[in-house]
Amino acid sequence: MKRCSLILFTGFMALQITSPSWADDMNMDMSGGMDHMTSGSEQPMEAAKGVKGVIRQIDRTKGIMTISHEPIPSLGWSAMTMDFSVKNPAWLGSFKAGQSIHFDFVRQRGAYVITAVK
């Protein structure tokens, strides 16, 4: 009888500890920070608008601009230099290395793509 009670008590406690309501009572976040995870072909959306940067290099054959940009607080990014693809490769002819720009971008299929340039 004692063994049966101990087993029931242990099982009950295991359910209490792992239940979401227990986490709520203890003010704990049980989400595990998984809001960035997606299923299938979905990807988390990374995008920014009005980013200020300086063009360092343009590779017209690959359709890429290397840009040193200011911090992007909305993404938690510090200032850095990185490559960006462009939505419209014809835009590359309008810019030159050393030029300051403001641009918008999104992440598509693992690449950062400039969608607008000012």
Side-chain angles (χ1 to χ4, degrees):
M1 179 73 170
K2 285 184 180 181
R3 184 176 179 156
C4 182
S5 295
L6 181 59
I7 291 171
L8 287 173
F9 177 75
T10 304
F12 175 76
M13 290 306 294
L15 287 173
Q16 288 297 339
I17 290 171
T18 59
S19 79
S21 63
W22 179 82
D24 290 342
D25 293 342
M26 298 299 290
N27 294 322
M28 295 179 68
D29 179 8
M30 295 297 283
S31 68
M34 293 176 45
D35 58 341
H36 66 282
M37 298 183 76
T38 59
S39 63
S41 62
E42 295 178 41
Q43 290 187 4
M45 184 58 131
E46 289 181 303
K49 293 187 177 218
V51 178
K52 185 176 179 182
V54 176
I55 300 170
R56 297 295 174 205
Q57 182 178 352
I58 298 173
D59 186 332
R60 287 173 176 71
T61 58
K62 293 182 181 178
I64 293 174
M65 286 198 288
T66 303
I67 300 173
S68 294
H69 64 74
E70 292 186 350
I72 306 173
S74 63
L75 297 177
W77 290 7
S78 59
M80 67 181 96
T81 301
M82 57 189 289
D83 291 340
F84 291 88
S85 297
V86 292
K87 180 179 176 181
N88 183 349
W91 294 347
L92 296 174
S94 303
F95 299 99
K96 61 183 179 197
Q99 185 174 354
S100 294
I101 60 171
H102 287 82
F103 63 101
D104 302 345
F105 72 89
V106 297
R107 184 174 183 182
Q108 295 177 341
R109 291 182 230 91
Y112 294 100
V113 180
I114 295 175
T115 56
V117 185
K118 301 170 192 119

